[in-house]
Amino acid sequence: MRTTATSTRSIETGHGRLVFPCFMPVTTFGGAFPLDVVARPYLSRFAPALMASHYYAQSMKKPERPNHPLFVDSGGFASLFEGSSVEEHGDMACICTKYGKPLHPAEVLTFQQEYADIGATLDFLIPPGTDEQEAKHKQGLTIKNALWAAGHHVVESSMRLFASLQAWNAESAKQITEKLAALNFDGFALGGMVPRVRTPKVIFEIIGAIREIETDRPLHVFGIGNPKLIRALFEQGVDSVDSSSFLQNAVNKRYLDPHRGEFVPLDEVGSAIKACPCRVCQTLDVEYLRLEGALNNLALALHNLAALHSYCGLERTE
Ligand SMILES: [Zn+2]
């Protein structure tokens, strides 16, 4: 096994000790992505924690709550929905969308405290190209909501509170980390990196600036599913990432090559038995994975997850 992952951190959660580094497969609730329902019971065999967005997690019925460490994000990506707006109050800010009630920091925190093992504070995404003034404003609101959540996090709750970070370069990363590292957060979670995956240098600069200030507590990066980038982030001091790419690629019949760390069309895979030692490939081989059907896609998704773990040098829970 490779040993690229360097974190030795861990945290105690309401569903057991979570040891880093780790990859958190994304799962959704409410039927928007039917394969998630089929896949969910198997994910905990591979990964030590699952990620659910607050946006979808609200549809989770109590019996559906995985008996496994669960990270629930803030659903802050709703600020990018068309027609969404920010509603500022004295010490916090909400996101209003055309769909349903406003996303309020209190509602997010209450939900996380009831259902999540880790929750991230309500943030405001800053896409690449945002003008400096607007970017600073959104970062200020992200800081404000993190401070609000730190002050309202129920002490008795076993939910571990991670401060969401938003930054667009090293300097802005330094500013937000300096403000939030002074508080008693259990960890930090960097958002807004998905549209920056084609410029990993920018992401590395941001991570470097965060890690220069905050050296001890766990650092999560949202939405990263590219195995090569995951390996690089772990080497830079990131402790965990989450993504649904293993599943999306399965739906598109793409197979993660466990040696190259790249998703390739299944048609280009001659023999899965030769390509990969995982249980799926050793028992089902490529003809089965090529067939259309929920179980075939599930098998391919589980291979992709196993291959991601082996490529990134991660322990599996199984
Ligand atoms: Zn495999």
Side-chain angles (χ1 to χ4, degrees), residues 255 276 278 281 303:
Y255 178 95
C276 172
C278 90
C281 294
H303 152 77

